[in-house]
Amino acid sequence: MKLTLQGHEDLYAVEQLQLALFPDDAEGEALSALHRGSIWLTATARITYNGRTANASRRIKAADETVRSRRRALQQSYYLAARQLLPHIPAWGALAGVRPTKITTKHLLEGGSEKSADKLLKDVYFVTPQRRKLAIDCSLSTARAAGLLDERDVSLYVGIPFCPTRCAYCSFVSRTVGKRTELIEPYLQALLEEIRAVGKLMETSGRKVRTIYIGGGTPTTLSAPQMALLLDTIRQCFDLSRLLEFTVEGGRPDTLNAEKLRSIAAHGADRMSINPQTMSDPVLKASARPHTAADVLRAYKEAQDAGFAAINMDLIAGLPKDTVAGFKASVDAVAALEPANITVHTLALKKDADLFQRRENLPTAADVTEMVDYATEKLTALGYKPYYLYRQKYMSGSFENVGWSKDGQDCLYNIYMMEEVHTIVSVGGGSISKVNLPDGKLVRFPNPKFPEQYIEMLPQVLEKKKEMFALLK
């Protein structure tokens, strides 16, 4: 859909809402306009879609204009026009972006109540009751997690951008190694060098690590000895006296075995992620995941035997060849294992994923709605609560990804990373450090995306880390 701006340049705010409300390939056009009068600032929207046109407007006093209030008015006018043309009520209303809970989290941390947060989402952003409760529940978890932090705490992310093979829905920047592992060792050596350098900078700055997350890619693409070396180096280089949790994302069960899991646990990690995505073998095959549901059960038992304090499991609603009945069976099978966390994703059709090019055998939006609703009802009935969420572009049904946890077993790193409540120091290819400054601003420091670039540009990476820590003094 073509979008034209008139009288303002807030493209991102309006464009993100348009992407959330209308299909990426929707035919039509939209105009978002802003008129500045002596007293009022008036935002108007005109949208033509499926042969129909709708108009709407919102206004604020010109004297009260801020960047936030102006963008809010633009989004409200766009939403109110779109609402007249859409066949359903958009669950997230006029909220756009990947972090809809940041509004309610900020509101609660500034002294607001659950009741006033609900009113904010209802009256200002037109969010539906179910999503209002979901957002507030997650923000309550964030408020509790934020209370565990001191001002000099940070979280550490370690990126391993390798996978054995590429899943059909995946768009992450990672190297598919298959049987070719020659790039892993030089990458690991470069990563260890960055860890040692960052450890010294952390010590000088007086920062301490509160949570650690090793992600990817699939970090357990590393061999057991390589993983042990990585974990030992982390423990040697960082002050972990305030560490609350240490997560390794195992992800694919075909990269896990009893020896590797025991080694990871013995070297200090206490949380493991084992992600089936589905417990249906035909759906796994259609998603290009070369393992079976039986492999998931085997890896889960091995992780339990290794002594992990908490295990997370991921599911995706909307995978090719899946059905409502099949997804319900997957939810039931995973829930029966009683993991500490279950993350329910909604399929996002990213342009860099293989699945985007051959969109076949995908469940309908109505099917995905039923899948997500079932997961919510089932997990709530079993005593799980939502503790963090985020949205993505091009998600089936414009839903969200929700992390569910048993009482007291939230993955704190997920909250800190998604809600951006404190500094995340990231090392490795494709990782992004996010520095929270005292004035509330967030500064990002990205590392090179691809392993080859990361290895080649390591000297520049280390210089950037020095610049970053200069802000943390």
Side-chain angles (χ1 to χ4, degrees):
M1 178 178 289
K2 180 182 178 182
L3 174 62
T4 302
L5 306 184
Q6 188 178 90
H8 72 92
E9 297 180 351
D10 290 305
L11 172 64
Y12 184 82
V14 182
E15 184 180 57
Q16 291 306 297
L17 183 57
Q18 178 169 288
L19 287 171
L21 295 177
F22 293 99
D24 183 40
D25 57 354
E27 293 186 5
E29 58 182 5
L31 171 67
S32 174
L34 189 68
H35 174 73
R36 296 181 179 276
S38 58
I39 299 177
W40 295 102
L41 194 70
T42 304
T44 61
R46 183 178 72 245
I47 304 173
T48 300
Y49 178 63
N50 282 344
R52 299 170 55 210
T53 299
N55 297 273
S57 65
R58 298 289 279 191
R59 66 180 189 174
I60 58 174
K61 287 189 175 180
D64 296 334
E65 180 188 358
T66 63
V67 172
R68 176 178 292 182
S69 65
R70 182 182 70 246
R71 290 176 177 172
R72 180 185 292 175
L74 289 165
Q75 290 178 324
Q76 287 175 329
S77 64
Y78 189 97
Y79 167 82
L80 291 171
R83 177 68 189 88
Q84 300 172 52
L85 303 174
L86 294 170
H88 59 276
I89 297 175
W92 286 103
L95 278 178
V98 300
R99 299 176 179 87
T101 53
K102 291 196 76 171
I103 292 170
T104 44
T105 295
K106 184 175 186 294
H107 184 81
L108 293 175
L109 291 177
E110 291 177 347
S113 66
E114 293 177 56
K115 184 176 180 180
S116 60
D118 183 80
K119 180 175 174 59
L120 172 66
L121 291 180
K122 177 185 176 185
D123 295 347
V124 177
Y125 295 101
F126 317 112
V127 179
T128 61
Q130 183 183 21
R131 292 308 188 280
R132 296 202 302 268
K133 184 179 188 313
L134 180 61
I136 293 168
D137 285 347
C138 290
S139 289
L140 289 170
S141 291
T142 300
R144 288 191 292 269
L148 301 174
L149 298 172
D150 287 344
E151 63 178 13
R152 302 195 72 76
D153 288 337
V154 302
S155 286
L156 176 68
Y157 176 82
V158 181
I160 309 294
F162 296 98
C163 287
T165 59
R166 192 175 187 86
C167 301
Y169 50 79
C170 181
S171 64
F172 287 118
V173 175
S174 62
R175 277 287 175 261
T176 301
V177 297
K179 295 181 179 180
R180 298 184 59 193
T181 60
E182 64 270 14
L183 188 60
I184 294 181
E185 189 59 34
Y187 174 84
L188 179 59
Q189 293 307 314
L191 174 62
L192 297 180
E193 186 175 343
E194 185 183 11
I195 288 172
R196 295 184 187 105
V198 170
K200 292 177 182 177
L201 291 168
M202 289 270 285
E203 183 179 8
T204 302
S205 68
R207 301 279 168 166
K208 294 186 178 180
V209 179
R210 205 60 166 145
T211 73
I212 300 175
Y213 194 98
I214 300 181
T218 305
T220 44
T221 301
L222 298 183
S223 67
Q226 288 171 331
M227 181 63 74
L229 176 60
L230 172 62
L231 298 177
D232 280 340
T233 304
I234 290 171
R235 300 196 73 85
Q236 293 163 6
C237 294
F238 296 100
D239 183 344
L240 304 184
S241 60
R242 283 181 54 77
L243 189 67
L244 286 170
E245 65 178 33
F246 192 153
T247 305
V248 173
E249 186 174 330
R252 295 248 302 256
D254 51 309
T255 66
L256 299 171
N257 57 45
E259 176 197 4
K260 190 178 293 187
L261 288 163
R262 285 196 300 268
S263 177
I264 292 171
H267 285 81
D270 59 0
R271 300 179 66 95
M272 172 59 59
S273 189
I274 299 172
N275 304 332
Q277 313 303 7
T278 174
M279 294 297 282
S280 165
D281 287 347
V283 178
L284 285 169
K285 184 176 181 180
S287 302
R289 286 179 69 84
H291 65 84
T292 65
D295 292 325
V296 175
L297 299 177
R298 183 263 311 158
Y300 188 87
K301 172 94 170 40
E302 290 171 346
Q304 284 183 311
D305 292 344
F308 285 96
I311 300 174
N312 171 76
M313 303 187 80
D314 283 9
L315 292 171
I316 299 178
L319 288 174
K321 292 193 176 181
D322 208 356
T323 63
V324 172
F327 183 78
K328 289 181 178 180
S330 292
V331 173
D332 292 346
V334 166
L337 298 173
E338 300 184 345
N341 308 126
I342 299 175
T343 306
V344 180
H345 298 264
T346 307
L347 179 67
L349 286 172
K350 296 298 186 70
K351 292 182 179 179
D352 291 334
D354 294 341
L355 191 59
F356 185 87
Q357 304 301 325
R358 47 177 186 83
R359 285 172 273 184
E360 301 172 347
N361 302 310
L362 294 175
T364 66
D367 287 343
V368 174
T369 299
E370 193 171 347
M371 292 173 179
V372 173
D373 286 347
Y374 179 80
T376 299
E377 294 166 6
K378 176 78 175 185
L379 297 178
T380 300
L382 292 174
Y384 288 87
K385 65 175 181 60
Y387 76 96
Y388 91 111
L389 69 86
Y390 64 101
R391 301 174 71 197
Q392 294 173 274
K393 296 178 184 177
Y394 318 120
M395 293 183 75
S396 298
S398 295
F399 285 109
E400 61 285 316
N401 303 321
V402 181
W404 297 82
S405 72
K406 290 185 174 181
D407 189 40
Q409 297 196 62
D410 297 355
C411 179
L412 296 172
Y413 173 82
N414 284 338
I415 295 175
Y416 296 150
M417 177 272 298
M418 190 54 59
E419 295 292 334
E420 298 173 338
V421 294
H422 83 152
T423 292
I424 308 291
V425 176
S426 297
V427 296
S431 66
I432 301 177
S433 296
K434 296 190 285 188
V435 177
N436 287 50
L437 299 178
D439 62 2
K441 292 181 180 178
L442 188 76
V443 182
R444 290 176 169 82
F445 289 84
N447 275 1
K449 288 185 177 181
F450 297 99
E452 299 92 335
Q453 295 174 333
Y454 173 75
I455 295 167
E456 180 182 346
M457 299 176 64
L458 185 62
Q460 295 95 310
V461 169
L462 300 183
E463 285 301 313
K464 279 290 183 181
K465 283 297 191 294
K466 292 178 183 178
E467 293 178 23
M468 184 182 87
F469 274 88
L471 300 176
L472 290 172
K473 290 182 178 179

